Amino acid sequence: MAGTAAIDWTRPWLAPYRAQGEAAAGAIAQGLPVAQALQGAGPPAFVPQHALPAGRAYEAHVFETGTVPTRDNLHDFFNGLVWRAFPQAKCRLNELQATEIERAGVGATRGPLRDALTLFDENGALLEAPPELWRALAARDWPALFVARRGLWAQARLRVFGHALLEKLVSPRKAATAHVLLTQGVDGLDDEALARRLDPAWLATKPFVPLPVLGVPGWWAGNEAPDFYADAQVFRPARSVAESPAAGPG
């Protein structure tokens, strides 16, 4: 698989995944399939995609077997890296998906909970930040968030969780947007703490706030220019009633 050669591991959003990611990418460059390159000392076990029986729901299969069918592409490569970094949170997401599939089956639409689970799994991020930044983000007050209170980002930590978003950021585009959950406390980005917070009733409300990640100070050189944030197609104004998602359980 040639795609891993295009990854720039110096990008700030890849810092939490760099050590394991570079090692796995090196193994892939030597000819190993992605599933084999991702194997670690503990669960889950990554298996080739053909291990998924035809017609079987992916999430149900992962839940029942403890194995993750994996294709030789960037999407599944990044999914594996997130599994390695957040095994308990990924297990919790998978458990909730599988439970919903067992309850309601696989239909034309996922329903609010499965929709939210998929959104976070594919495109989510975790933000630990001073209250002033979170309020500005929830209000879509981009000038406050990125200009007036820019210095507060030194006290913030942002972790991209969604593997589809990590894949998109291999070729960064200004419009790349995460769906962010607020985290709190010293263990805010901790795997076990995140797993505990993933309450289905809360997630079904989609308590996420959109954040164009290339606007984050230090994440993209272009955002040093003040007019970077003037692009209303990316930095969209708030709706008439500002959304203020709750921090959630835990």
Side-chain angles (χ1 to χ4, degrees):
M1 188 187 81
T4 52
I7 300 172
D8 180 356
W9 292 104
T10 67
R11 298 293 194 187
W13 50 85
L14 289 176
Y17 304 105
R18 182 173 182 175
Q20 292 183 341
E22 283 190 311
I28 292 166
Q30 296 300 313
L32 286 185
V34 173
Q36 192 172 344
L38 286 168
Q39 297 296 356
F46 299 95
V47 297
Q49 180 68 17
H50 61 71
L52 177 65
R56 183 65 171 144
Y58 167 86
E59 295 89 349
H61 181 81
V62 173
F63 181 69
E64 291 180 4
T65 67
T67 64
V68 180
T70 302
R71 300 164 295 184
D72 288 323
N73 60 28
L74 278 177
H75 189 86
D76 286 12
F77 173 75
F78 283 116
N79 183 46
L81 290 185
V82 180
W83 266 104
R84 295 283 304 276
F86 287 95
Q88 295 183 64
K90 290 284 279 188
C91 276
R92 177 61 172 158
L93 291 172
N94 176 244
E95 175 192 9
L96 294 173
Q97 286 274 19
T99 299
E100 276 297 287
I101 288 172
E102 184 174 357
R103 183 188 68 81
V106 179
T109 58
R110 291 191 179 99
L113 177 56
R114 288 196 64 212
D115 215 23
L117 293 167
T118 300
L119 182 63
F120 185 64
D121 192 38
E122 298 274 345
N123 221 51
L126 305 166
L127 178 63
E128 187 175 58
E132 298 92 335
L133 286 185
W134 181 255
R135 287 195 292 268
L137 174 59
R140 319 294 199 271
D141 188 347
W142 310 117
L145 180 67
F146 290 127
V147 182
R149 296 174 185 148
R150 192 175 185 86
L152 288 177
W153 280 95
Q155 303 172 37
R157 294 191 298 162
L158 178 67
R159 172 78 61 90
V160 174
F161 182 93
H163 55 280
L165 181 57
L166 288 168
E167 180 189 14
K168 291 174 189 174
L169 288 169
V170 172
S171 300
R173 297 181 58 190
K174 188 176 183 179
T177 299
H179 288 78
V180 175
L181 286 178
L182 173 67
T183 66
Q184 297 172 311
V186 294
D187 64 348
L189 304 186
D190 176 73
D191 178 35
E192 183 180 354
L194 175 60
R196 289 197 304 267
R197 293 182 65 223
L198 296 176
D199 173 74
W202 175 58
L203 287 170
T205 68
K206 292 187 180 176
F208 314 116
V209 176
L211 172 65
V213 294
L214 294 189
V216 174
W219 277 40
W220 192 247
N223 71 37
E224 295 293 335
D227 63 354
F228 183 87
Y229 303 106
D231 186 348
Q233 294 300 309
V234 174
F235 299 98
R236 298 179 181 179
R239 298 171 183 170
S240 55
V241 178
E243 301 174 26
S244 299

